C-alpha cells in the first residue's frame, strides 16, 4: 500500500510478487515512488483503496527519514479502531476482530496506540494493542520484513521473541492497520479480519532487524 496525497492506495491488480519486489531492490516505509496506476471501475467495500497498476512503471525517486514519515502519517491517524473501521461483527476463536464484508468506508488506516506488543504465535506473529477506547488482541502482523526475519530465526523462539520485543513493544506507537479479504473459517460467516501492517514506536527506535 502507498499514500497518495492524503489517500491510501493498494497495489492490487496485478498482485505484487516477491520476485518483482526483489527486482526493484525491495520497498519499505518511507520509500517515495513514481508509478502508473488508476482506480478500477468496480471495487468491493471495504477495500476501496484497490488500484490497478503497471509494475514496470515503478521507479524509486526518494526516501523520507522515518521521523518525517511518522510525522506525516500521525496527522492522518485515528485515535480508535472503531472510528476507522466501525464495530466488529464478531471475534475469532482466538480473539481477533472480524468486520463485515461489503460494508465500510475503508480497509486501510493509521491508528495511534497507547501500548503495543508483538509476539510469535504458531507460524506467524500476532499483535496486541490498546487504542483510546479498548484493547485489541491477536491481530496477525502482515509485514514482509517480519516474515523474512521470522524465517531466518528458524526454531530459535527465544531470539525471535527478543527481537520482536525490541522492535515493536512500547507504550506509544503509530500502527498501520488493515482489513483482510473476506474469509470464512469454521462456523463463522465470511468476514474481513483485522491485521497489523506496520508498527512505528514513538519516539522511533526501530532497529529494522539489522
Amino acid at each position: 500500500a502507498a499514500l497518495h496525497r492524503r489517500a491510501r492506495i493498494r497495489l492490487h491488480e496485478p498482485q505484487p510478487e516477491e520476485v518483482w519486489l526483489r527486482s526493484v531492490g525491495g520497498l519499505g516505509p518511507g520509500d517515495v515512488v513514481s508509478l502508473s496506476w488508476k482506480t478500477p471501475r468496480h471495487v468491493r467495500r471495504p477495500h476501496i483503496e484497490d488500484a490497478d497498476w503497471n509494475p514496470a512503471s515503478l521507479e524509486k525517486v526518494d526516501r523520507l527519514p522515518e521521523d518525517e514519515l511518522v510525522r506525516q502519517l500521525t496527522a492522518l491517524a485515528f485515535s480508535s479502531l472503531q472510528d476507522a473501521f466501525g464495530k466488529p461483527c464478531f471475534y475469532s476463536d482466538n480473539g481477533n476482530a472480524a468486520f463485515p464484508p461489503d460494508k465500510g468506508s475503508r480497509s486501510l488506516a493509521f491508528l495511534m496506540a497507547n501500548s503495543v506488543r508483538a509476539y510469535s504465535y504458531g507460524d506467524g506473529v500476532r499483535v496486541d494493542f490498546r487504542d483510546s477506547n479498548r484493547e485489541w488482541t491477536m491481530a496477525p502482523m502482515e509485514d514482509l520484513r517480519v516474515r523474512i526475519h521470522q524465517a531466518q530465526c528458524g526454531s530459535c523462539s527465544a531470539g525471535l521473541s527478543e527481537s520482536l520485543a525490541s522492535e515493536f513493544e512500547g507504550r506509544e506507537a503509530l500502527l498501520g492497520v488493515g482489513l483482510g479479504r473476506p474469509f470464512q473459517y469454521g462456523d463463522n460467516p465470511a468476514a474481513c479480519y483485522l491485521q497489523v501492517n506496520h508498527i512505528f514506536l514513538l519516539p522511533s527506535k526501530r532497529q529494522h532487524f539489522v
Side-chain angles (χ1 to χ4, degrees), residues 93-95 118-127 138 150 160 164:
D93 293 342
N94 62 21
Y119 50 94
S120 178
Y121 181 84
D123 294 332
V125 173
R126 298 282 175 151
V127 179
M138 295 294 291
Q150 185 181 28
L160 177 61
L164 288 171

Side-chain angles (χ1 to χ4, degrees), residues 21-209:
L21 190 62
R22 289 193 295 270
S23 75
V24 298
L27 289 171
D31 283 336
V32 181
V33 301
S34 171
L35 77 156
S36 173
W37 69 278
K38 64 179 181 180
T39 301
R41 183 171 298 180
H42 301 289
V43 294
R44 182 181 180 184
R45 291 183 179 275
H47 300 91
I48 64 166
E49 302 90 352
D50 285 354
D52 296 338
W53 66 297
N54 179 4
S57 71
L58 186 138
E59 179 184 1
K60 294 183 185 179
V61 296
D62 201 358
R63 182 172 179 81
L64 290 179
E66 187 167 298
D67 56 351
E68 173 60 20
L69 173 66
V70 170
R71 186 189 68 80
Q72 292 189 23
L73 301 185
T74 298
L76 306 175
F78 291 87
S79 62
S80 79
L81 194 70
Q82 288 194 18
D83 287 345
F85 297 143
K87 292 184 177 180
C89 52
F90 62 88
Y91 296 86
S92 68
D93 293 342
N94 62 21
N96 188 30
F99 295 80
D102 302 312
K103 296 181 179 180
S105 55
R106 66 185 58 84
S107 65
L108 295 171
F110 300 109
L111 177 71
M112 298 304 301
N114 297 327
S115 64
V116 62
R117 183 175 73 94
Y119 50 94
S120 178
Y121 181 84
D123 294 332
V125 173
R126 298 282 175 151
V127 179
D128 297 347
F129 63 89
R130 174 173 288 278
D131 64 15
S132 62
N133 288 342
R134 51 157 293 178
E135 185 173 9
W136 304 84
T137 61
M138 295 294 291
M141 188 168 190
E142 299 295 339
D143 183 310
L144 180 59
R145 292 188 180 188
V146 173
R147 190 159 68 243
I148 291 172
H149 178 70
Q150 185 181 28
Q152 292 171 342
C153 282
S155 60
C156 182
S157 58
L160 177 61
S161 298
E162 182 178 341
S163 60
L164 288 171
S166 174
E167 284 276 309
F168 302 124
E169 188 166 333
R171 291 190 59 83
E172 277 193 298
L174 173 71
L175 308 185
V177 291
L179 300 180
R181 303 289 167 172
F183 177 72
Q184 193 276 327
Y185 179 75
D187 296 330
N188 293 318
C192 301
Y193 288 88
L194 175 66
Q195 58 191 30
V196 173
N197 305 121
H198 297 293
I199 299 175
F200 298 102
L201 296 181
L202 303 176
S204 176
K205 61 178 183 179
R206 286 185 58 169
Q207 299 301 312
H208 300 287
F209 300 132

